[in-house]
Amino acid sequence: EGGTHLKIKGNSFDSYEGMTEVTIGNTKCDIVEITNEELTCSTPAQSATSATDAGARGLKYEMWISTEGTGDTPADALDTSAADYRTTVIDGSTVNGPIFGERNGYTA
């Protein structure tokens, strides 16, 4: 059936549309409500989910080593297929220093 509301508590959830995702069995769980500390999503129908191993949890940390965005929304121009793109999942939600050898000017 789907449609069960799943509540996830944490911190630093990004409420800008498309910036926070929840998936269940590789299928999107539609976010119904989101705050900095909590999000609620509506689960997909079981028939729509696929078998999967447990996915990554924590904070998805993305870095473009040399590419810089421009304009008022610089992140919109960044491309995950760029040669200098790096990503990792940090267990938890705290970045403790550089992950990919960043030396200065990075935001965590």
Side-chain angles (χ1 to χ4, degrees):
E1 299 291 324
T4 300
H5 282 191
L6 173 67
K7 186 178 288 188
I8 301 171
K9 293 186 178 194
N11 62 27
S12 303
F13 291 121
D14 193 333
S15 62
Y16 288 103
E17 188 163 336
M19 298 306 293
T20 299
E21 281 186 0
V22 177
T23 56
I24 298 174
N26 292 327
T27 303
K28 185 177 177 183
C29 185
D30 293 322
I31 296 175
V32 175
E33 187 175 351
I34 186 168
T35 67
N36 189 54
E37 296 85 22
E38 184 176 281
L39 70 80
T40 302
C41 69
S42 180
T43 61
Q46 184 176 4
S47 61
T49 62
S50 59
T52 182
D53 292 331
R57 65 179 192 153
L59 174 70
K60 181 178 181 184
Y61 185 83
E62 298 176 291
M63 173 69 63
W64 285 261
I65 303 301
S66 58
T67 303
E68 292 185 17
T70 59
D72 292 336
T73 55
D76 291 347
L78 296 174
D79 182 358
T80 58
S81 65
D84 67 336
Y85 173 73
R86 307 289 186 270
T87 186
T88 190
V89 175
I90 299 169
D91 189 20
S93 62
T94 303
V95 179
N96 295 315
I99 303 294
F100 298 114
E102 308 89 318
R103 290 183 295 278
N104 59 28
Y106 74 96
T107 303

